[in-house]
C-alpha cells in the first residue's frame, strides 16, 4: 500500500515559479541572451509559465523551445515498451545563447544527460543552465540544478509526480511513499 503526501499545492507551486523567475532575473539582469527549453512533457508547461513571468517582468519576448529526449535516452533499447515520442520545437538559433533547460523532477540525472546531448544537435550554446521544480536526490551522474524549486529527500522506491493543470487538470506535486508498517 502507498501513502500519498502533497508536497506543493497550486498556490505553493505558483509562488515557487515566481521565486525561480526572480532568481533567473538576478543572474541574467536583462535576460537578452537567454532562451528557455522545456523538456517534454511537464517541463514544457513549466517553461511556458516561466516565460510568461519573465516576459511580463522584463517587457520582452524570451525564446521558448520544447525538447523531446526519448531517442537520446541511454536505456531506450532495454525498455519493455517503445518510448512515447513527443515533438521537439526549437525555432531559434541556440548558438551563443544561454540555454535554460527546464524539467519537473531531477532524480538520477539521466534525463538531463540525454537533454544535453539532444540540445547539442541544434548548435553550441554559450552556456546551459538547469532549472528543476523538484530535486529528489539519488543522482547516478554528476549533474546538479542551477535553480531548484524545492529539494525533497526521498527513498529510492518512492515516486514524485508533478501535476500541471494543462495536462492533469490541476497543479500539485505529490510524493508517493511506500507504507512502512508492513
Amino acid at each position: 500500500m502507498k501513502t500519498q503526501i502533497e508536497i506543493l499545492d497550486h498556490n505553493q507551486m505558483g509562488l515557487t515559479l515566481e521565486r525561480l523567475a526572480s532568481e533567473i532575473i538576478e543572474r541574467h539582469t536583462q535576460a537578452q541572451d537567454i532562451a528557455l527549453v522545456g523538456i517534454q512533457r511537464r517541463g514544457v508547461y513549466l517553461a511556458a509559465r516561466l516565460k510568461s513571468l519573465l516576459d511580463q517582468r522584463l517587457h520582452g519576448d524570451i525564446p521558448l523551445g520544447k525538447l523531446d529526449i526519448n531517442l537520446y535516452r541511454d536505456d531506450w533499447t532495454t525498455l519493455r515498451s517503445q518510448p512515447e515520442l513527443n515533438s521537439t520545437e526549437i525555432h531559434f538559433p541556440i548558438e551563443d545563447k544561454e540555454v535554460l533547460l527546464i524539467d519537473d523532477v531531477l532524480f538520477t540525472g539521466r534525463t538531463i544527460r540525454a537533454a544535453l546531448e539532444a540540445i547539442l544537435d541544434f548548435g553550441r550554446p554559450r552556456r546551459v543552465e538547469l532549472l528543476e521544480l523538484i530535486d529528489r536526490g539519488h543522482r547516478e551522474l554528476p549533474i546538479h540544478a542551477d535553480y531548484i524549486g524545492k529539494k525533497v529527500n526521498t527513498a529510492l522506491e518512492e515516486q514524485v509526480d508533478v501535476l500541471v493543470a494543462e495536462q492533469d487538470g490541476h497543479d500539485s506535486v505529490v510524493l508517493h511513499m511506500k507504507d512502512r508498517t508492513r
Side-chain angles (χ1 to χ4, degrees), residues 147-181:
Y147 307 90
I148 299 171
K150 186 170 182 81
K151 188 163 179 56
V152 179
N153 294 323
T154 64
L156 274 173
E157 67 273 4
E158 295 172 336
Q159 180 175 325
V160 176
D161 290 326
V162 173
L163 305 174
V164 292
E166 299 89 340
Q167 185 168 338
D168 307 300
H170 70 283
D171 291 338
S172 70
V173 178
V174 179
L175 171 64
H176 301 276
M177 299 172 46
K178 194 173 181 181
D179 190 359
R180 299 177 201 280
T181 59

Side-chain angles (χ1 to χ4, degrees), residues 3 7-8 15 18 27 39 45-46 49 51 53-54 70 76 83 103 112 133 147 150 159 161 170 174 181:
T3 304
I7 298 169
L8 296 175
L15 290 170
E18 290 271 354
R27 288 191 196 171
I39 298 174
Y45 301 116
L46 298 173
R49 292 183 193 186
K51 174 187 172 29
L53 291 168
L54 293 169
N70 280 309
W76 74 270
D103 197 19
I112 304 311
L133 184 63
Y147 307 90
K150 186 170 182 81
Q159 180 175 325
D161 290 326
H170 70 283
V174 179
T181 59

Side-chain angles (χ1 to χ4, degrees), residues 40-51:
Q40 289 281 16
R41 294 182 312 177
R42 287 169 180 82
V44 168
Y45 301 116
L46 298 173
R49 292 183 193 186
L50 283 165
K51 174 187 172 29

Side-chain angles (χ1 to χ4, degrees), residues 12-41:
Q12 293 166 324
M13 204 162 142
L15 290 170
T16 300
L17 289 172
E18 290 271 354
R19 178 179 51 78
L20 290 167
S22 294
E23 289 179 28
I24 293 167
I25 292 170
E26 275 182 37
R27 288 191 196 171
H28 295 280
T29 317
Q30 298 302 310
Q32 58 213 25
D33 290 331
I34 71 167
L36 307 179
V37 176
I39 298 174
Q40 289 281 16
R41 294 182 312 177

Side-chain angles (χ1 to χ4, degrees), residues 16-169:
T16 300
L17 289 172
E18 290 271 354
R19 178 179 51 78
L20 290 167
S22 294
E23 289 179 28
I24 293 167
I25 292 170
E26 275 182 37
R27 288 191 196 171
H28 295 280
T29 317
Q30 298 302 310
Q32 58 213 25
D33 290 331
I34 71 167
L36 307 179
V37 176
I39 298 174
Q40 289 281 16
R41 294 182 312 177
R42 287 169 180 82
V44 168
Y45 301 116
L46 298 173
R49 292 183 193 186
L50 283 165
K51 174 187 172 29
S52 178
L53 291 168
L54 293 169
D55 285 351
Q56 287 173 7
R57 292 182 186 182
L58 299 170
H59 308 290
D61 186 18
I62 294 173
L64 174 64
K66 301 176 183 181
L67 186 66
D68 180 26
I69 55 93
N70 280 309
L71 294 178
Y72 294 88
R73 291 173 53 136
D74 60 5
D75 64 348
W76 74 270
T77 57
T78 60
L79 295 174
R80 293 181 189 193
S81 63
Q82 294 271 326
E84 181 182 322
L85 298 180
N86 297 290
S87 65
T88 291
E89 299 172 20
I90 299 178
H91 303 296
F92 51 87
I94 66 163
E95 293 290 328
D96 293 324
K97 288 274 190 213
E98 296 193 11
V99 173
L100 184 51
L101 281 175
I102 299 166
D103 197 19
D104 56 351
V105 179
L106 181 55
F107 182 31
T108 63
R110 293 188 179 275
T111 295
I112 304 311
R113 186 220 46 88
L116 291 169
E117 189 175 325
I119 204 79
L120 291 175
D121 280 349
F122 289 89
R124 187 172 190 267
R126 181 178 332 134
R127 175 187 304 168
V128 177
E129 293 180 331
L130 177 60
L131 181 145
E132 292 284 348
L133 184 63
I134 303 294
D135 181 349
R136 63 167 291 195
H138 302 288
R139 229 62 90 237
E140 294 174 3
L141 299 172
I143 290 177
H144 75 278
D146 300 283
Y147 307 90
I148 299 171
K150 186 170 182 81
K151 188 163 179 56
V152 179
N153 294 323
T154 64
L156 274 173
E157 67 273 4
E158 295 172 336
Q159 180 175 325
V160 176
D161 290 326
V162 173
L163 305 174
V164 292
E166 299 89 340
Q167 185 168 338
D168 307 300

